[in-house]
Structure formats: C-alpha cells, structure tokens
Amino acid sequence: MIDNYFIFDCVVHVYDMSDGNLREDESTARHARDHMSAINTAIRVPENQHYGIAKKWTPEEIYAMVFDEGGVDMAMAQAVPIFDWYKDWFAPVKAQHRMSELYPDRVLFVGAVDPLFSGVKKATENIDYQVQEMGARSFKFYNGHLRGGWRCDDPEVAYPLYERCQENGIDLLQFHKGIPFGQQNLEELHPGDLQKAARDFPDLNFLVHHLAMPYIDDLFNIASRFPNIYVGATGVFNMSLVAPRTVQTWIGRLLSEVGVDKVVWGSEAPFQGKPSPYLRDFLRLEVPEDLRSDYGMPQITDSDRRKMLSENLARLMHIDLEEKKRELGVVS
Amino acid sequence: MNDMDPQLKPIDAVLNDLNEAMAPCAGGVEREDLSADGVLRLRFTGMCTGCACRPLTTVQTVRPALAAAEGVSSVEIANSRISAEAEERIARAFAEDMSCRASEEKTT
C-alpha cells in the first residue's frame, strides 16, 4: 500500500531484453531493443536510474522491485508476444507464469498468443493450455508486427482467439496499442480495429494499454462510446517527472471524456523502475485551476484515485478487494 | 433501493420526460442509484454516451429537471463530469440568456 491506497498493478513484465534473447536472423533486433530501452529509461526518476534495462529479469527481482520496494499489493504479470526481435518473445509466457506460481497470493498470470507466430489453430490450442494448465486469467495481444500485423477485428484471424478465450471463461482481453517499437508501422497499432470487435463481442471487455499513444484522442473517443472498451493508463502516468502538465491534462480528459470507471492504472515495471515514486507523484497530482476553468476538466478526487489504482481492475477481474485485503493482511 | 420503491416514482416520471425530449438525438439518461442521503446518480445512454454536449445537457436540462424532485439532494452523472468552474459558467450563461429572453418577450 501507499498512503493507505491498495495498489493493484495492471501490468508488470518479467521480460528478457538481454543480448542472448535477440534474434540473430533479424538485423533490426538490436535497434528495436535499444529503442525500447531508451524510451523507457528516458523518463526514469533519479532514484530508479540504477536499475538495469537490457537484461533478463527473474521473478524474484520483479517481486522485490514491485512489492517489497514498489508499494504495490497485487499485480498482473503479462506475457507479450513480440517475436519480431526476440527469440523467446519480449516477455515470455513461461516467465510470467513462473512469477504467478511463486507468488499466487499477489500475482495473476496474463497469457499471450499470436496468430501470425503459430497460426490461428495453434494459437487457440495455446489459449486452452495457458488457461487450463497454467491458470491464465486474461490475455495480452500485440497485433503490430515488423513485416505486417493482423487486425483485431479480423473474423478469420482474431475472432477465433476471442471465442476460445470466452469458452475458457476469460472475459478481459488486453491490447498493446500505440507506441510502436523499432520501425514497426504505427498505424497497425491504432485502436480503431477494436470497435467492431467490441460490438461483435459485447460480453468481452477490451482494455487498451498506454492510452494508445499517440492515438490518445481516438482512444478517448472510442472508450467514451463503447461500454466494453477500457483505458489502460499503463506506464504513462510515469511521465509526471518529465511532463507533469501532460499527465494532468490526460487525467482531466479521462475524468471528463471517458469516465473514471473505465480507467485502469499500471506501472509497466521494471521498465521505469520501482512504481513507488510514480505512485506518490500520482497521489499528489491535481488538475490545476486553469485546466478546470478553461477546459472544464474536473478535479481528481480520492475516489477517482482508488478506482484507477485498484477498484476498477478488481471489478474487471471479478476479485473481491476487501476479501483480498483480509487475505493479505492489509489494513486500510 | 429497488425499482419498486415509491420514492423513485416521481424521479422516474421526470426521467421518462427527459428521455422523450432526448429521443430525437437517439440519446437518453437512466437511473443508476439513489443514495440514502438523496444523491441521485444517473448515466447517459444511447448516442449521449461519448457526446461532447453532455456537460451542456447536464447543466441546462437534466439537473434543473430533477432538482425539484422529492428526495433528491443532488444529481451526479456517472459518465459526464466537468469542473465546478465550467458548470457555474454554463449555468450563468443560460440564466443570463433566459433573463434576456424574458425581457425581450415583455417588450414585444
């Protein structure tokens, strides 16, 4: 907890960006890894500068950073199927699962598949395996790829995956949108292709990460109109040291345009280091008077913070927060 | 509070009228909750969801219609929030407009 707030971190990664995981057959691999490193370390606060970046993390290291030092109470360890540059994907399935195995009271495993990596049939079989054998509670999708991606509203490629998730009792699907890495085409990661998917799967919830930067306007429009599309403020509020005004504006717009009930916070640890300094910043942050007066953005409240930091995600994941707090011995 | 509670009847009657007025925009408003201390929580529906005019509709139409309803101390709209400063500005603008219109009608 931080300042009496229970923190349910939507996204951490036990990632592997070490040289040993770079594909030797892909000439852009090192550049893409270095790009991913640079854009994240650029916004690290001073107390987080000492953490490594281009390395292979262990679940124990992530636990120490996120829970022991980071102020977080629960987290989702998310696999990410970036195979364009990494042999074992950027955030391998097994590593995220291992973390949930080691710390089952605090860590939920988010699985990942990709229809272009293994074909649709194999991907659906992998969904079965990751849920039934590994306990996946949600899935993460990354549909942009260096040599052509797939659309999230493709009935032949994407919908079989969503249907298989539903058959396995999964109702929260998560998507990396925006923030292309290396020289991927930006437009493949536009959130627009989630609209038809959201209409066609009204019983599924779609969580879009990173505010789909730079498609923030588009995502806010979409999320404000679709009841089952949610906004993941994942890693982005960490920009408050570098660009506090930008973060204040995002928060004000989320509250007024999208609605606080649709917003979920995530640290993206270990990219920017331990979450605690960013959480403390967020808890102190207010929407300034000129944004309120000139743009109509409402002031952030204590209730808003609690919803973003834990209550909304707990609701999406069907977790009783009060019971969880008792289980963890956390007292408000 | 369940839907059969008699306290909700006058509120729902107002909401019906509002929804008739908003129907041409394919929009609407529905009741989410009425707390014990009279805070009425609503939600915009249909095409109102995500519409940029939500703040105007809230201040100009929805709140005034429900302000006089028995048992309602305040009205919140779950998927539409603006700053207190902006609300006051909108309310002031419409009050001034109404006052101007009333003056014009008197003189014509």
Side-chain angles (χ1 to χ4, degrees):
Chain A
M1 292 186 88
I2 288 214
D3 293 352
N4 218 25
Y5 287 81
F6 188 91
I7 309 295
F8 187 178
D9 191 340
C10 172
V11 52
V12 301
H13 301 295
V14 188
Y15 72 63
D16 184 357
M17 291 209 297
S18 65
D19 287 353
N21 195 30
L22 295 178
R23 284 176 55 178
E24 290 100 4
D25 61 334
E26 176 51 59
S27 61
T28 64
R30 190 166 292 272
H31 169 262
R33 188 276 307 274
D34 291 348
H35 177 238
M36 289 173 81
S37 302
I39 60 176
N40 284 289
T41 51
I43 61 172
R44 277 187 178 179
V45 290
E47 68 183 278
N48 281 357
Q49 290 291 328
H50 65 284
Y51 291 112
I53 185 78
K55 61 174 278 182
K56 179 178 182 175
W57 292 89
T58 66
E60 292 81 1
E61 287 173 318
I62 302 298
Y63 186 95
M65 175 191 281
V66 169
F67 295 109
D68 292 337
E69 301 161 24
V72 171
D73 301 286
M74 287 181 69
M76 300 179 82
Q78 301 212 6
V80 185
I82 298 178
F83 53 83
D84 314 65
W85 306 292
Y86 304 102
K87 296 176 201 168
D88 194 17
W89 295 6
F90 155 69
V93 167
K94 285 182 183 168
Q96 319 314 307
H97 169 247
R98 181 66 186 141
M99 184 159 187
S100 71
E101 256 192 334
L102 288 172
Y103 312 109
D105 55 340
R106 294 185 184 272
V107 179
L108 278 62
F109 166 48
V110 177
V113 298
D114 192 284
L116 297 187
F117 181 74
S118 54
V120 173
K121 183 172 182 297
K122 193 71 182 170
T124 56
E125 290 168 5
N126 279 333
I127 289 172
D128 286 341
Y129 186 82
Q130 290 182 35
V131 174
Q132 295 164 21
E133 304 301 324
M134 301 174 92
R137 300 282 298 272
S138 174
F139 277 83
K140 182 68 165 291
F141 297 99
Y142 193 106
N143 69 294
H145 291 292
L146 191 59
R147 293 181 174 77
W150 51 277
R151 285 185 62 93
C152 299
D153 58 2
D154 188 326
E156 305 297 321
V157 170
Y159 285 10
L161 309 183
Y162 307 159
E163 286 158 3
R164 191 60 65 95
C165 284
Q166 278 186 306
E167 289 163 19
N168 277 284
I170 301 291
D171 62 3
L172 178 65
L173 306 184
Q174 308 190 42
F175 297 80
H176 177 112
K177 286 295 190 182
I179 313 189
F181 297 125
Q183 293 187 335
Q184 283 181 341
N185 281 11
L186 170 63
E187 64 273 16
E188 285 189 354
L189 292 164
H190 188 277
D193 62 350
L194 290 173
Q195 295 171 100
K196 187 171 185 305
R199 283 197 301 272
D200 290 342
F201 290 87
D203 294 332
L204 284 177
N205 292 314
F206 297 80
L207 174 58
V208 181
H209 283 245
H210 319 305
L211 304 185
M213 291 170 65
Y215 299 114
I216 298 173
D217 288 345
D218 297 23
L219 176 60
F220 285 10
N221 177 287
I222 291 169
S224 73
R225 292 182 297 114
F226 285 78
N228 56 339
I229 293 183
Y230 291 75
V231 175
T234 45
V236 295
F237 289 173
N238 298 355
M239 284 183 63
S240 56
L241 173 71
V242 170
R245 178 74 167 194
T246 301
V247 177
Q248 290 163 343
T249 306
W250 289 338
I251 288 173
R253 288 187 63 192
L254 282 166
L255 295 178
S256 60
E257 295 174 39
V258 178
V260 69
D261 293 338
K262 303 288 271 320
V263 183
V264 167
W265 173 86
S267 73
E268 288 285 350
F271 266 131
Q272 289 126 26
K274 66 186 178 198
S276 43
Y278 308 108
L279 283 166
R280 284 194 295 269
D281 265 353
F282 174 67
L283 293 177
R284 284 192 293 262
L285 185 144
E286 295 199 327
V287 178
E289 194 274 336
D290 66 324
L291 290 183
R292 301 198 313 267
S293 175
D294 295 351
Y295 295 90
M297 297 180 194
Q299 183 59 279
I300 187 170
T301 66
D302 181 63
S303 169
D304 294 333
R305 294 188 181 95
R306 290 188 192 283
K307 286 185 177 185
M308 289 193 235
L309 291 175
S310 63
E311 291 172 4
N312 289 340
L313 184 57
R315 186 182 72 248
L316 286 169
M317 294 304 301
H318 311 292
I319 288 173
D320 183 330
L321 259 192
E322 295 310 309
E323 190 181 308
K324 194 64 187 174
K325 288 177 189 175
R326 283 192 292 271
E327 178 194 325
L328 294 176
V330 169
V331 178
S332 296
Chain B
M1 188 172 289
N2 67 56
D3 285 347
M4 303 302 291
D5 194 299
Q7 195 178 348
L8 296 174
K9 210 169 167 188
I11 293 171
D12 288 347
V14 173
L15 289 175
N16 282 342
D17 290 342
L18 283 171
N19 281 316
E20 265 191 46
M22 293 159 79
C25 286
V29 63
E30 65 184 11
R31 173 173 48 76
E32 269 203 349
D33 182 59
L34 177 66
S35 72
D37 53 356
V39 178
L40 178 62
R41 194 169 156 85
L42 306 174
R43 174 173 292 278
F44 280 120
T45 62
M47 290 292 107
C48 287
T49 308
C51 177
C53 294
R54 282 171 289 165
L56 291 167
T57 307
T58 300
V59 175
Q60 183 194 2
T61 306
V62 176
R63 275 226 178 85
L66 286 158
E70 196 179 324
V72 176
S73 61
S74 65
V75 177
E76 291 177 0
I77 307 203
N79 52 350
S80 175
R81 268 170 72 185
I82 56 170
S83 63
E85 291 87 343
E87 274 212 34
E88 282 165 26
R89 187 167 55 236
I90 295 170
R92 209 165 43 239
F94 280 104
E96 286 168 5
D97 180 65
M98 294 284 285
S99 175
C100 285
R101 284 170 192 268
S103 297
E104 282 172 15
E105 281 167 13
K106 272 187 186 167
T107 58
T108 57

